[in-house]
């Protein structure tokens, strides 16, 4: 009898892609989800006889081992096994044999090489049958990323369209982001990215074996999307306002062009937090991990890890950058993934924070998370990973200080302005905003919120004083024990800035209104500074200063109007369009008040107008209209148009 030989393997790609919900991947390679069976057809040179035996082998990684579950050996059997890989023999027809392969919900994700071991006529031979890619499966109840809501599965894994918000807590706008996780070449690029990690470089076999764990994969990716650790990560960050040699972060509309450029030529210049978050979300969804982008307004960066943001100003309201090491981003973006937390307990299951923006190192590498939202809300900051930093981002306390010419510094009262406002994400099934602040903290100022803050401080002190094992999740962070501070004295007057919405090119008209609670007339000295800032509150240019004295009658109110002209701010403002106005107010009795506001100027609108009714499979003309609001000529403008599944490459119009 002729020796049995494998001709090819039919992966039934179209059929399996429908049942595995991977039909949108633009790739010739089969894409499958773990915890769910898939059928293949083995085609031979002759019909299968009763004496022929078969074993299917699937391997992933460069050094596959059975002990690491990166090499699986599956003799054909008549039944499935829910806890390990199995291959079930199906019917044969002519020279073909149908086999159903059942990967467990704990399978390692990645690219597999399939081989068939054939025993026929007393001889054993092995033939390669092709490759396939295995993903996480939020539809499989035993998978650690299982979601039991179909609308959420579609939104957080299958949806290619996202949005983010920018500006500040006083006024913010939204923009769309094209995740494009199914576009041609993106899946392959994401797999290449996984192999760039420092952990993979140091121990390939262990790293690949741990890719069955979404927490491990997420933590690795949070480091790889930034390029700060000499690991050839995806994005180079730039917060200077000078983007020579690359693109402004606002240039990007989606992830596909960034990932393709990275694959072709290495780290991409430049990005900021929403770019990091958008690209990370793309890679996570591409691998089947439910993920969403989060925007947090007034987001703290607590460098000394005491859960306090200390701001220092001179007596004119100009920020002292030498003394001020903490900062507060007007907005910051990160990601959440949905996963179980078998490492710390079921209470902490659910949404976990990942952040690829390089702010502080974690374990010596610029990465953050995964950090449980439940741990953050309760103040359980001694749990892995990086919970103190996330807690401070959403719930740090703020102290403001005035430093006088003689070097003395005094805490100054300001109206409570909580860190962590309007924490937002895209709604399931619509392009609207959902507020998720309550997932991160109890209502500001409530008993539960203050209890969580106290819990966080006490747990940090205990971890800092404990053994090395208790400190490991705070490694490389300076754990300064928070000392109780004397509260600033509230003066007998209050104040606030107000303004109307202003577009770039227009003068900014501001009002400062002071209200007295005193029983007598007071003279208030006002020293005011306006500064152009970038969105992490870093000053980039002083615009104006002003001092004046006003008389504030008993129980009265006084409004001071002032103007910052376009000519004053035009040479200093950055693409973030942000101006911070700070006033230091001192009355004759020594009452002190600091008032501040960040104003975000609105960009002129970009209007999109179809000139005809769009029709399927027909070219469509669209007018895109921009009106220049200033008297200067605007040169070197570039219009970029992108769209998943509609445009293969961006359209760039100069």
């Amino acid at each position: 009898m002729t020796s049995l030989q494998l001709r090819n393997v039919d992966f039934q790609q179209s059929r399996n892609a429908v049942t595995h919900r991977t039909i949108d991947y633009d790739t010739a390679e089969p894409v499958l989800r773990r915890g769910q069976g898939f059928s293949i057809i083995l085609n031979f040179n002759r019909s299968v006889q009763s004496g022929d035996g078969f074993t299917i082998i699937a391997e992933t990684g460069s050094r596959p081992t059975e002990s690491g579950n990166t090499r699986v050996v599956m003799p054909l059997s008549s039944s499935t096994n829910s806890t390990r890989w199995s291959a079930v023999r199906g019917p044969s027809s002519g020279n073909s044999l149908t086999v159903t392969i059942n990967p467990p919900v704990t399978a390692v994700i990645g690219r597999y090489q399939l081989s068939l071991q054939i025993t026929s006529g007393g001889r054993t031979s092995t033939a390669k049958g092709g490759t396939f890619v295995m993903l996480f499966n939020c539809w499989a109840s035993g998978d650690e990323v299982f979601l039991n809501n179909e609308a959420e599965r579609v939104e957080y894994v299958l949806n290619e369209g996202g949005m983010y918000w920018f500006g500040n807590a006083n006024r913010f706008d939204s923009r769309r982001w094209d995740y494009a996780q199914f576009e041609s070449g993106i899946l392959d690029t994401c797999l290449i990215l996984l192999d760039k990690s420092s952990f993979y470089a140091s121990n390939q076999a262990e790293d690949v074996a741990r890719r069955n764990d979404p927490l491990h994969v997420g933590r690795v990716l949070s480091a790889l999307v930034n390029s700060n650790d000499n690991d050839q990560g995806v994005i180079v960050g730039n917060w200077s306002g000078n983007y020579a040699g690359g693109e402004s972060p606002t240039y990007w509309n989606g992830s596909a062009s960034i990932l393709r450029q990275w694959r072709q030529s290495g780290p991409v210049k430049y990005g900021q937090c929403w770019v990091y978050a958008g690209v990370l979300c793309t890679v996570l969804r591409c691998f089947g991990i439910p993920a969403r982008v989060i925007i947090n307004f007034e987001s703290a960066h607590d460098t000394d890890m005491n859960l306090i943001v200390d701001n220092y100003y001179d007596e004119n309201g100009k920020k002292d950058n030498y003394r001020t090491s903490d900062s507060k981003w007007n907005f910051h973006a990160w990601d959440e993934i949905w996963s179980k937390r078998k490492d710390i307990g079921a209470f902490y299951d659910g949404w976990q924070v990942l952040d690829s923006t390089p702010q502080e190192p974690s374990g010596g590498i610029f990465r953050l998370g995964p950090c449980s939202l439940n741990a953050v809300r309760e103040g359980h900051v001694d749990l892995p990973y990086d919970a103190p930093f996330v807690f401070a981002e959403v719930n740090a306390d703020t102290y403001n200080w005035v430093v006088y010419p003689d070097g003395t510094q005094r805490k100054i009262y300001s109206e409570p302005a909580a860190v962590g406002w309007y924490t937002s994400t895209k709604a399931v099934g619509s392009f609207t905003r959902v507020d998720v602040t309550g997932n991160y903290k109890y209502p500001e100022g409530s008993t539960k919120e203050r209890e969580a803050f106290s819990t966080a401080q006490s747990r940090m002190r205990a971890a800092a004083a404990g053994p090395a094992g208790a400190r490991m999740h705070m490694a490389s962070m300076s754990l300064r024990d928070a000392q109780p501070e004397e509260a600033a004295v509230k003066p007998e007057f209050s104040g606030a800035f107000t303004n109307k919405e202003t577009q770039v090119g227009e003068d900014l008209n501001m009002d400062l209104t002071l209200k007295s609670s005193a029983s007598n007339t007071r003279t208030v000295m006002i020293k005011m500074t306006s500064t152009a800032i970038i969105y992490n509150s870093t000053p980039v240019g002083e615009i104006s200063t002003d001092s004046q004295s006003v008389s504030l009658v008993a129980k009265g109110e006084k409004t001071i109007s002032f103007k910052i002209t376009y000519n004053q701010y035009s040479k200093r403002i950055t693409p973030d369009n942000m101006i911070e106005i700070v006033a230091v107010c001192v009355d004759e009795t020594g009452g002190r008040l600091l008032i501040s506001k960040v104003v975000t100027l609105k960009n002129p609108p970009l209007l999109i107008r179809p000139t005809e009714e769009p029709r399927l499979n027909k070219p469509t003309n669209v007018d895109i209209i921009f009106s220049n609001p200033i008297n200067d000529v605007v040169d070197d403008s570039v219009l970029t148009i992108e769209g998943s599944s509609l445009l293969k490459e961006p359209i760039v119009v100069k």
Side-chain angles (χ1 to χ4, degrees), residues 165-169 172 295-299 330-331 420-422 424:
W165 292 263
F166 61 95
N168 59 68
F172 49 85
I295 301 294
N296 183 50
F297 290 96
E298 304 301 314
S299 190
N330 293 291
F331 73 96
W421 284 72
Y422 306 120
S424 306

Side-chain angles (χ1 to χ4, degrees), residues 84 90 155 169 181 192 281 315 344 350 359-360 429 458 465 489 492 501 535 540-541 559 572 578 594 628 638:
R84 57 183 175 84
E155 179 67 44
Q181 68 265 35
I192 292 170
C281 191
E315 59 181 344
I344 54 178
Q359 296 187 85
E360 298 289 339
S458 63
V489 177
E492 291 185 291
E501 188 173 90
Y535 85 103
V540 292
T559 297
R572 293 173 174 82
M578 291 180 175
L594 185 140
N628 180 3
V638 179

Side-chain angles (χ1 to χ4, degrees), residues 1 64 96 102 146 211 249 406 479 517 530 552 648:
M1 183 179 295
S96 300
N102 299 283
F146 171 69
R211 292 179 187 175
D406 63 2
L479 293 171
S517 58
S530 60
L552 191 58
K648 287 291 185 183

Side-chain angles (χ1 to χ4, degrees), residues 226 228 235-243 249 270-274 276 329 331-332 356-359 533-536 538 540 574 576:
N226 71 68
N228 284 52
I235 299 166
V236 178
N238 187 335
W239 289 266
S240 70
N242 178 3
Y243 306 117
Y270 292 105
Q272 292 178 2
C273 67
W274 69 92
Y276 288 108
W329 304 67
F331 73 96
H332 183 51
S356 53
T357 300
Q359 296 187 85
I533 61 173
I534 55 179
Y535 85 103
N536 65 348
T538 300
V540 292
T574 75
D576 292 329

Side-chain angles (χ1 to χ4, degrees), residues 212-354:
N212 68 329
D213 179 4
L215 303 177
H216 172 75
V217 172
R219 186 158 172 81
V220 165
L221 290 173
S222 75
L224 287 170
V225 171
N226 71 68
S227 60
N228 284 52
D229 299 299
N230 297 318
D231 55 6
Q232 291 297 297
V234 179
I235 299 166
V236 178
N238 187 335
W239 289 266
S240 70
N242 178 3
Y243 306 117
E247 303 290 353
S248 165
T250 57
Y251 167 83
W252 309 107
N253 296 319
S255 303
S257 55
I258 296 172
L259 288 167
R260 286 172 179 150
Q261 183 176 326
W262 171 80
R263 183 174 180 179
Q264 182 177 3
S265 55
V268 178
K269 300 176 180 180
Y270 292 105
Q272 292 178 2
C273 67
W274 69 92
V275 183
Y276 288 108
V279 171
L280 179 57
C281 191
T282 293
V283 182
L284 292 164
R285 289 187 182 186
C286 189
F287 287 145
I289 299 176
R292 62 187 187 183
V293 169
I294 300 294
I295 301 294
N296 183 50
F297 290 96
E298 304 301 314
S299 190
H301 182 162
D302 179 22
T303 57
D304 56 12
M305 296 307 297
N306 65 339
L307 308 184
I308 305 293
V309 174
D310 294 298
N311 297 312
Y312 296 87
Y313 300 87
D314 69 15
E315 59 181 344
N316 295 313
K318 182 179 179 181
K319 183 169 282 189
D320 185 333
N321 291 313
Y322 178 77
R323 286 182 171 86
T324 303
S325 59
D326 296 333
S327 61
K328 190 163 62 173
W329 304 67
N330 293 291
F331 73 96
H332 183 51
W334 59 71
D335 298 90
E336 291 175 358
I337 63 170
W338 182 271
S339 179
K340 292 184 181 299
R341 290 303 300 262
K342 292 181 178 179
D343 56 334
I344 54 178
F347 176 77
Y348 304 100
D349 290 352
W351 291 114
Q352 317 289 326
V353 173
L354 291 174

Side-chain angles (χ1 to χ4, degrees), residues 492 516-522 552-556:
E492 291 185 291
S516 173
S517 58
S519 57
N520 59 332
T521 299
R522 301 282 178 89
L552 191 58
V553 301
K555 310 295 184 183

